[in-house]
Amino acid sequence: MEDMFHMQTLLIIAAGAIATYLTRVGGYVFITRMKRIPPRAEAALNAVPAAVLTTLVAPAAVTGGLDVSLTMAIAFLVGLRLSLLPMLGVGWIVVMVLRHVIG
């Protein structure tokens, strides 16, 4: 039972939960106190999803190997012309083929 709960791990999880809660509440309080969102702040808030997605995808593109890097490049190009679902399908097929060929 002692091996399941490490005090340091629990403290890290608790600190992460507290930090997440405070940033979310802080953002809510900050936005609700503003009568009008400045255009720059609105543009920054609109860019957040792309920034978060980039932080999730970029490490895999760099360290994921040749198959992942090629698949992301091809999926990006397909995404310029097609919608999300076909892009995901093409990406899935490409990574499966590359993993079968490259190993």
mmCIF file of all heavy atoms in Angstrom, residues 13 27 43-44 53 98:
data_model
loop_
_atom_site.group_PDB
_atom_site.id
_atom_site.type_symbol
_atom_site.label_atom_id
_atom_site.label_comp_id
_atom_site.label_asym_id
_atom_site.label_seq_id
_atom_site.Cartn_x
_atom_site.Cartn_y
_atom_site.Cartn_z
ATOM 1 N N ILE A 13 0.863 16.510 -7.481
ATOM 2 C CA ILE A 13 -0.495 16.509 -8.033
ATOM 3 C C ILE A 13 -1.331 17.599 -7.368
ATOM 4 O O ILE A 13 -2.065 18.341 -8.043
ATOM 5 C CB ILE A 13 -1.145 15.118 -7.862
ATOM 6 C CG1 ILE A 13 -0.432 14.104 -8.760
ATOM 7 C CG2 ILE A 13 -2.633 15.175 -8.159
ATOM 8 C CD1 ILE A 13 -0.833 12.666 -8.512
ATOM 9 N N GLY A 27 -8.196 34.011 -14.277
ATOM 10 C CA GLY A 27 -8.604 34.433 -15.612
ATOM 11 C C GLY A 27 -10.064 34.837 -15.649
ATOM 12 O O GLY A 27 -10.432 35.839 -16.275
ATOM 13 N N ALA A 43 -7.656 38.983 -29.388
ATOM 14 C CA ALA A 43 -6.840 38.267 -30.371
ATOM 15 C C ALA A 43 -5.949 37.240 -29.682
ATOM 16 O O ALA A 43 -5.778 36.120 -30.177
ATOM 17 C CB ALA A 43 -6.005 39.253 -31.175
ATOM 18 N N ALA A 44 -5.401 37.611 -28.523
ATOM 19 C CA ALA A 44 -4.555 36.673 -27.781
ATOM 20 C C ALA A 44 -5.372 35.482 -27.296
ATOM 21 O O ALA A 44 -4.924 34.334 -27.365
ATOM 22 C CB ALA A 44 -3.892 37.386 -26.606
ATOM 23 N N LEU A 53 -2.429 23.550 -28.942
ATOM 24 C CA LEU A 53 -2.260 22.431 -29.872
ATOM 25 C C LEU A 53 -0.814 22.322 -30.341
ATOM 26 O O LEU A 53 -0.264 21.226 -30.458
ATOM 27 C CB LEU A 53 -3.195 22.604 -31.065
ATOM 28 C CG LEU A 53 -3.242 21.447 -32.046
ATOM 29 C CD1 LEU A 53 -3.722 20.177 -31.349
ATOM 30 C CD2 LEU A 53 -4.140 21.767 -33.200
ATOM 31 N N LEU A 98 3.926 4.064 -43.040
ATOM 32 C CA LEU A 98 5.330 4.365 -42.738
ATOM 33 C C LEU A 98 5.871 3.467 -41.631
ATOM 34 O O LEU A 98 7.025 3.019 -41.690
ATOM 35 C CB LEU A 98 5.486 5.829 -42.345
ATOM 36 C CG LEU A 98 5.360 6.831 -43.488
ATOM 37 C CD1 LEU A 98 5.414 8.257 -42.958
ATOM 38 C CD2 LEU A 98 6.439 6.615 -44.534
#
